[in-house]
Amino acid sequence: MAGLTNNDNILDRIGLPSHLAWGYLGVMIFMMGDGLELAWISPYLVEQGLSVQQAAFLTTAYGVAIAIAAWFSGVLVESIGPRKTMLIGVAFYVIGQALFVGLAIPTLNYGLMIPTYAVRGFGYPLFAYSFLVWITYRTPQHQLGRAVGWFWFVFTGGLSVLGAYYSSLSIYLFGHIATLWTANLWVIIGAVLAIMVNRDKFEILEQKEEEGTSKFKELLNGIMILKREPKVGIAGVVRVINQASQYAFPLFLPIYLADQGIGTTTWLNIWGTIFISNIAFNLIFGFVGDKFGWRNTVTWFGAVGCGVFTLMLFYTPQIFAGNVFAVGVIGMLWGACLAGFVPLSALTPSLVGDGDKGAAMSILNLGAGLCVFVGPALVALFYDMVDTKGIIWILTGLYFVAAILTRFLKVPAEEENVKDSELQVKTQTL
C-alpha cells in the first residue's frame, strides 16, 4: 500500500481523496466481514430448524438496528468525532457477532438470536456511514461526487461481492460456523486501517470543542434540521425510494420470472450480475455527477432511469418469451441506474451550511436504513391486491415521484443564480 502515499496525485486525479485512502480500504475490508453471511444465513438457519417466518423476523430486527444506527451516525460524528463513532460501531459488531455465533446459533436459542443479531446490526452504519460523513467534510466540493462514488464502490464491493466470494470459499474449506467467526477478524482489520492507519484529522470537531457546543444540542440537531431545512427531508425521502425496489424484488420477482421460464438459479446469476454493474456505475456516476450536475444525475439517470427499467423488468420476459439474455441486460441497466443516486450523498450535505452537514447526512443515512423496510412493506401490503404487475407499477411510480422531488434539491449557489436571473428579468422589464 505504499502507493497510497507515493501516488497521492494519481488518487486525487481519479477522485479518491488521497488523505483518506486508508479509510476507503478499511471500509471495504470491514464490509467484507460484515456482509459475508448475507446471502446464506437465512436458508442456513432454516436448515438448522428455524421457520421461514422466524428467519424473516430475525432479518427485520437486524434492519431496525441498521435504521437507528444510520440516523445516529451523522450527529454522533459531529458530537464525538468520526473515530470514536466508528469505534463504537466496531464494538457493537464484534460483541454482537461473538454472542450470536458463540451462544445463540449453537443452541438455536431464538430468544437470544434476535437481540444479538440486532446488536450486531448497529455496527456497520456507525462505522461506514460515519466515514461517509468524514468524506463529505474533508473533500473539496468539486471532487465530492467522485469521492462518494468511491465510497459506494468500496462499500458495495465489500458487502455484496468480496463478502459473497470469500464466504463461498471459506464455507467450503472451514464450514459455516468457522466462517462466521472470521467475520470479526476482517472487521477488526478494516477498523485498524480506517481508524488508526488513516491519519487524517477532523477539524470540525476541534472547532466545536473550542466553541463549547453541547453534545445534546448536536444530537437534537439531527431532528431539528428537518424543520430548518425541509429540503433535507426531501432528500431523505428520495434516498428511501432509491433502494426500495432492491429489497422488494427478491420477495416476488423470482416467482414471477419462474412463471416466465427463468428458474431460481438463473435468477440468482442475474441478480449477481446486476450488482457487478451497480458497483462499476457507482464510480462512473460519481464522475458524471461532478460534470453533469448532482441534481441532474440523480433525476435523469437515477430516478427516471430506475423507473423505466423497473417497468421493463416486468414486460421484457413477456415480450421476449423468457429470454435470459434480454432480462439480464435490462437488469444490468437497472443496476446501473440504481447507482445514479450516488451523487445524492454529495448533494444533501451541500444543501446546508458546514455546521449542519452531519445532521443532513444523518437524515440521508436514515433513509438508507429505512429502505430495508419500505420495499418489503410495499410487497406485504399490496401484493395480494395488485399482484406482480401492480407492485412493479407502484415502484415505478415512486421513482418518478423521486425525479420530481429531486428537482427541489437546489444547493444555495443555484438558488442565488435563480434569484439573480429573476432580478435581471425584472430590471429589464422595468
Side-chain angles (χ1 to χ4, degrees), residues 160-324:
S160 300
V161 179
L162 294 182
Y165 282 124
Y166 165 77
S167 64
S168 65
L169 176 62
S170 181
I171 289 171
Y172 174 76
L173 294 175
F174 309 116
H176 292 84
I177 298 299
T179 297
L180 287 171
W181 277 116
T182 63
N184 273 349
L185 173 64
W186 294 115
V187 161
I188 291 170
I189 291 173
V192 168
L193 292 175
I195 299 172
M196 299 176 66
V197 180
N198 169 30
R199 305 304 298 169
D200 186 63
K201 291 185 178 181
F202 192 73
E203 287 89 351
I204 186 70
L205 180 63
E206 296 172 3
Q207 294 172 10
K208 288 178 179 289
E209 287 176 346
E210 291 175 2
E211 295 167 2
T213 305
S214 164
K215 290 182 170 48
F216 175 76
K217 184 178 179 181
E218 293 294 345
L219 293 174
L220 189 63
N221 196 30
I223 300 173
M224 299 307 296
I225 186 72
L226 293 173
K227 182 178 180 180
R228 294 196 311 276
E229 299 287 351
K231 289 185 293 184
V232 172
I234 294 174
V237 172
V238 173
R239 183 66 180 88
V240 173
I241 296 172
N242 172 195
Q243 286 182 290
S245 58
Q246 180 179 335
Y247 293 99
F249 280 166
L251 300 180
F252 70 92
L253 205 54
I255 300 170
Y256 167 70
L257 292 177
D259 292 339
Q260 304 299 317
I262 298 175
T264 302
T265 302
T266 304
W267 154 252
L268 289 174
N269 289 331
I270 291 173
W271 192 246
T273 305
I274 283 173
F275 283 96
I276 291 175
S277 169
N278 175 257
I279 289 167
F281 276 88
N282 280 336
L283 279 183
I284 292 170
F285 280 122
F287 282 84
V288 171
D290 283 341
K291 299 294 183 182
F292 184 57
W294 299 332
R295 189 161 55 98
N296 290 334
T297 303
V298 173
T299 299
W300 300 110
F301 291 104
V304 173
C306 277
V308 170
F309 292 115
T310 294
L311 207 57
M312 290 181 70
L313 277 172
F314 176 78
Y315 288 104
T316 299
Q318 296 181 17
I319 296 171
F320 293 95
N323 185 299
V324 174

Side-chain angles (χ1 to χ4, degrees), residues 62-73 121 124-126 128-130 132 151-152 155-156 159 232-247 341-342 344-345 348 360-376:
Y62 179 67
V64 170
I66 289 173
I68 295 171
W71 178 74
F72 272 105
S73 60
Y124 93 70
L126 290 175
Y129 293 160
S130 295
L132 177 59
F151 170 82
W152 290 112
F155 179 95
T156 310
L159 184 69
V232 172
I234 294 174
V237 172
V238 173
R239 183 66 180 88
V240 173
I241 296 172
N242 172 195
Q243 286 182 290
S245 58
Q246 180 179 335
Y247 293 99
F341 286 89
V342 158
L344 195 62
S345 297
T348 303
M361 288 302 294
S362 281
I363 299 301
L364 193 68
N365 294 341
L366 175 62
L370 290 176
C371 296
V372 180
F373 304 104
V374 172

